[in-house]
Amino acid sequence: KVPAQLDRVARTTAGAQRLVGDMLDLARGEALGREELPVHAVLEAARDAAGERAAHVDLQCATDLRFPLHPRLFARALAALVDNAIAVATKAPTVTLRAAVEGDRLVVDVTDDGPGVPTELAGKIFEPHVTGRAGGTGLGLAMAARIARAHGGDVTLLTTAPEGAHFRFDVGRR
Protein backbone atom coordinates (compact mmCIF):
# COMPACT_ATOMS: atom_id res chain seq x y z
CA LYS A 1 0.00 0.00 0.00
CA VAL A 2 2.80 2.45 0.87
CA PRO A 3 4.65 1.98 -2.47
CA ALA A 4 1.41 2.72 -4.37
CA GLN A 5 0.90 5.91 -2.34
CA LEU A 6 4.51 6.96 -2.89
CA ASP A 7 4.11 6.33 -6.61
CA ARG A 8 0.99 8.54 -6.66
CA VAL A 9 2.84 11.30 -4.77
CA ALA A 10 5.74 11.08 -7.23
CA ARG A 11 3.39 11.31 -10.25
CA THR A 12 1.52 14.25 -8.73
CA THR A 13 4.77 16.05 -7.91
CA ALA A 14 6.14 15.50 -11.43
CA GLY A 15 2.87 16.81 -12.92
CA ALA A 16 3.01 19.90 -10.71
CA GLN A 17 6.61 20.54 -11.74
CA ARG A 18 5.67 20.32 -15.45
CA LEU A 19 2.77 22.73 -14.91
CA VAL A 20 5.01 25.23 -13.10
CA GLY A 21 7.48 25.02 -15.98
CA ASP A 22 4.64 25.56 -18.46
CA MET A 23 3.40 28.59 -16.53
CA LEU A 24 6.92 30.06 -16.42
CA ASP A 25 7.25 29.57 -20.20
CA LEU A 26 3.90 31.32 -20.64
CA ALA A 27 4.99 34.20 -18.37
CA ARG A 28 8.18 34.61 -20.44
CA GLY A 29 6.10 34.80 -23.61
CA GLU A 30 7.57 31.65 -25.13
CA ALA A 31 5.64 29.95 -27.91
CA LEU A 32 3.33 27.19 -26.74
CA GLY A 33 4.15 23.65 -27.73
CA ARG A 34 0.81 22.48 -29.10
CA GLU A 35 -0.20 18.95 -29.97
CA GLU A 36 -3.18 17.56 -31.85
CA LEU A 37 -5.10 16.30 -28.82
CA PRO A 38 -8.43 14.61 -28.22
CA VAL A 39 -10.50 17.52 -26.87
CA HIS A 40 -12.64 15.20 -24.75
CA ALA A 41 -9.50 14.12 -22.85
CA VAL A 42 -8.59 17.77 -22.20
CA LEU A 43 -12.10 18.39 -20.81
CA GLU A 44 -11.75 15.28 -18.63
CA ALA A 45 -8.43 16.59 -17.29
CA ALA A 46 -10.09 19.92 -16.40
CA ARG A 47 -12.91 18.07 -14.61
CA ASP A 48 -10.52 15.72 -12.83
CA ALA A 49 -8.41 18.63 -11.55
CA ALA A 50 -11.34 19.57 -9.30
CA GLY A 51 -11.19 16.11 -7.67
CA GLU A 52 -14.16 14.97 -5.63
CA ARG A 53 -15.77 18.39 -5.89
CA ALA A 54 -16.33 17.73 -9.62
CA ALA A 55 -19.23 15.33 -9.17
CA HIS A 56 -21.57 17.62 -11.12
CA VAL A 57 -19.42 18.38 -14.17
CA ASP A 58 -21.02 17.39 -17.48
CA LEU A 59 -18.82 16.96 -20.56
CA GLN A 60 -20.37 17.50 -23.99
CA CYS A 61 -17.91 16.83 -26.76
CA ALA A 62 -17.50 14.31 -29.56
CA THR A 63 -14.97 11.72 -28.42
CA ASP A 64 -13.20 11.83 -31.80
CA LEU A 65 -12.77 15.64 -31.86
CA ARG A 66 -9.09 16.64 -32.02
CA PHE A 67 -7.49 20.10 -31.96
CA PRO A 68 -3.95 21.52 -31.51
CA LEU A 69 -3.67 22.54 -27.85
CA HIS A 70 -1.03 22.71 -25.19
CA PRO A 71 -1.50 19.43 -23.31
CA ARG A 72 -1.54 20.89 -19.80
CA LEU A 73 -2.17 24.62 -20.02
CA PHE A 74 -5.50 24.51 -21.84
CA ALA A 75 -6.87 21.97 -19.34
CA ARG A 76 -5.60 24.22 -16.52
CA ALA A 77 -7.42 27.23 -17.99
CA LEU A 78 -10.69 25.27 -18.10
CA ALA A 79 -10.04 23.91 -14.60
CA ALA A 80 -9.77 27.47 -13.30
CA LEU A 81 -13.36 28.10 -14.42
CA VAL A 82 -14.58 24.82 -12.91
CA ASP A 83 -12.77 25.67 -9.66
CA ASN A 84 -14.38 29.12 -9.56
CA ALA A 85 -17.86 27.72 -10.17
CA ILE A 86 -17.43 25.27 -7.30
CA ALA A 87 -15.80 27.77 -4.94
CA VAL A 88 -18.46 30.47 -5.20
CA ALA A 89 -21.50 28.18 -5.12
CA THR A 90 -23.64 27.88 -2.01
CA LYS A 91 -24.82 24.45 -3.20
CA ALA A 92 -23.12 21.87 -5.40
CA PRO A 93 -23.25 23.51 -8.84
CA THR A 94 -23.76 21.81 -12.16
CA VAL A 95 -20.94 22.79 -14.51
CA THR A 96 -21.08 21.96 -18.21
CA LEU A 97 -18.08 21.93 -20.53
CA ARG A 98 -19.23 21.89 -24.17
CA ALA A 99 -16.74 21.84 -27.05
CA ALA A 100 -17.12 22.01 -30.83
CA VAL A 101 -15.08 23.10 -33.81
CA GLU A 102 -16.49 26.02 -35.79
CA GLY A 103 -14.49 26.56 -38.96
CA ASP A 104 -10.84 26.66 -37.92
CA ARG A 105 -11.68 27.56 -34.29
CA LEU A 106 -12.31 25.47 -31.21
CA VAL A 107 -15.13 26.88 -29.11
CA VAL A 108 -15.49 25.67 -25.53
CA ASP A 109 -18.42 26.91 -23.48
CA VAL A 110 -18.19 26.59 -19.70
CA THR A 111 -21.51 27.18 -17.98
CA ASP A 112 -22.70 26.74 -14.43
CA ASP A 113 -25.87 27.24 -12.43
CA GLY A 114 -24.17 29.02 -9.53
CA PRO A 115 -24.59 32.63 -8.44
CA GLY A 116 -22.87 34.03 -11.54
CA VAL A 117 -20.37 36.86 -11.79
CA PRO A 118 -21.46 40.05 -10.02
CA THR A 119 -22.24 42.77 -12.55
CA GLU A 120 -19.74 45.16 -10.96
CA LEU A 121 -16.90 42.66 -11.62
CA ALA A 122 -17.94 41.55 -15.12
CA GLY A 123 -15.90 44.15 -17.02
CA LYS A 124 -12.68 43.44 -15.18
CA ILE A 125 -12.97 39.77 -14.18
CA PHE A 126 -9.97 38.75 -16.35
CA GLU A 127 -7.63 41.32 -14.78
CA PRO A 128 -5.07 40.03 -12.27
CA HIS A 129 -6.09 40.27 -8.60
CA VAL A 130 -9.78 40.90 -9.35
CA THR A 131 -11.87 38.46 -7.32
CA GLY A 132 -15.39 38.21 -6.06
CA ARG A 133 -14.76 35.65 -3.35
CA ALA A 134 -13.23 35.81 0.09
CA GLY A 135 -9.75 34.36 0.04
CA GLY A 136 -9.56 34.40 -3.77
CA THR A 137 -6.35 35.58 -5.43
CA GLY A 138 -7.87 36.83 -8.66
CA LEU A 139 -5.26 34.93 -10.65
CA GLY A 140 -7.24 31.99 -12.07
CA LEU A 141 -9.28 33.87 -14.65
CA ALA A 142 -6.38 36.18 -15.55
CA MET A 143 -4.29 33.06 -16.20
CA ALA A 144 -7.12 31.47 -18.22
CA ALA A 145 -7.32 34.56 -20.43
CA ARG A 146 -3.57 34.57 -20.98
CA ILE A 147 -3.63 30.87 -21.91
CA ALA A 148 -6.49 31.48 -24.37
CA ARG A 149 -4.55 34.34 -26.01
CA ALA A 150 -1.45 32.14 -26.25
CA HIS A 151 -3.65 29.70 -28.19
CA GLY A 152 -4.58 32.44 -30.67
CA GLY A 153 -7.93 33.19 -29.09
CA ASP A 154 -9.70 34.66 -26.12
CA VAL A 155 -12.07 33.87 -23.28
CA THR A 156 -15.15 35.99 -22.68
CA LEU A 157 -17.87 36.19 -20.09
CA LEU A 158 -21.27 35.91 -21.77
CA THR A 159 -23.61 36.10 -18.75
CA THR A 160 -23.48 37.71 -15.33
CA ALA A 161 -25.32 37.23 -12.04
CA PRO A 162 -27.85 35.97 -11.11
CA GLU A 163 -28.14 33.68 -14.15
CA GLY A 164 -25.10 31.54 -13.44
CA ALA A 165 -21.91 32.08 -15.38
CA HIS A 166 -21.24 31.36 -19.06
CA PHE A 167 -17.68 31.67 -20.29
CA ARG A 168 -16.56 31.01 -23.87
CA PHE A 169 -13.09 30.02 -25.00
CA ASP A 170 -12.52 30.59 -28.71
CA VAL A 171 -9.09 29.49 -29.88
CA GLY A 172 -7.41 29.10 -33.26
CA ARG A 173 -5.56 26.23 -34.85
CA ARG A 174 -2.22 28.10 -34.85
Side-chain angles (χ1 to χ4, degrees):
K1 185 174 181 174
V2 171
Q5 290 173 332
L6 290 175
D7 184 51
R8 192 176 106 213
V9 168
R11 282 192 321 270
T12 302
T13 301
Q17 288 173 327
R18 284 190 300 273
L19 183 59
V20 167
D22 294 339
M23 295 300 292
L24 290 172
D25 291 346
L26 184 67
R28 287 190 286 265
E30 295 180 16
L32 289 185
R34 291 169 42 157
E35 302 171 22
E36 192 81 16
L37 298 173
V39 175
H40 195 272
V42 175
L43 301 183
E44 286 175 339
R47 178 198 60 208
D48 294 348
E52 294 175 6
R53 303 173 311 144
H56 297 86
V57 178
D58 182 31
L59 306 181
Q60 298 178 5
C61 176
T63 56
D64 62 344
L65 177 62
R66 299 179 71 78
F67 203 82
L69 299 166
H70 187 280
R72 290 172 298 279
L73 287 178
F74 198 75
R76 185 62 230 144
L78 296 174
L81 294 177
V82 173
D83 288 344
N84 277 356
I86 293 169
V88 301
T90 56
K91 62 174 182 62
T94 297
V95 181
T96 301
L97 301 174
R98 183 178 301 111
V101 172
E102 297 179 5
D104 66 343
R105 317 281 303 161
L106 174 67
V107 176
V108 180
D109 287 308
V110 182
T111 59
D112 68 66
D113 63 356
V117 177
T119 305
E120 63 273 9
L121 293 180
K124 55 186 176 181
I125 196 71
F126 297 109
E127 295 175 16
H129 310 293
V130 173
T131 184
R133 63 181 169 139
T137 62
L139 295 177
L141 293 181
M143 176 200 61
R146 187 162 187 172
I147 291 169
R149 287 190 299 273
H151 279 85
D154 206 358
V155 59
T156 54
L157 173 64
L158 299 178
T159 63
T160 58
E163 306 166 22
H166 180 179
F167 291 90
R168 174 167 288 164
F169 281 86
D170 177 352
V171 298
R173 282 207 177 271
R174 285 283 167 196

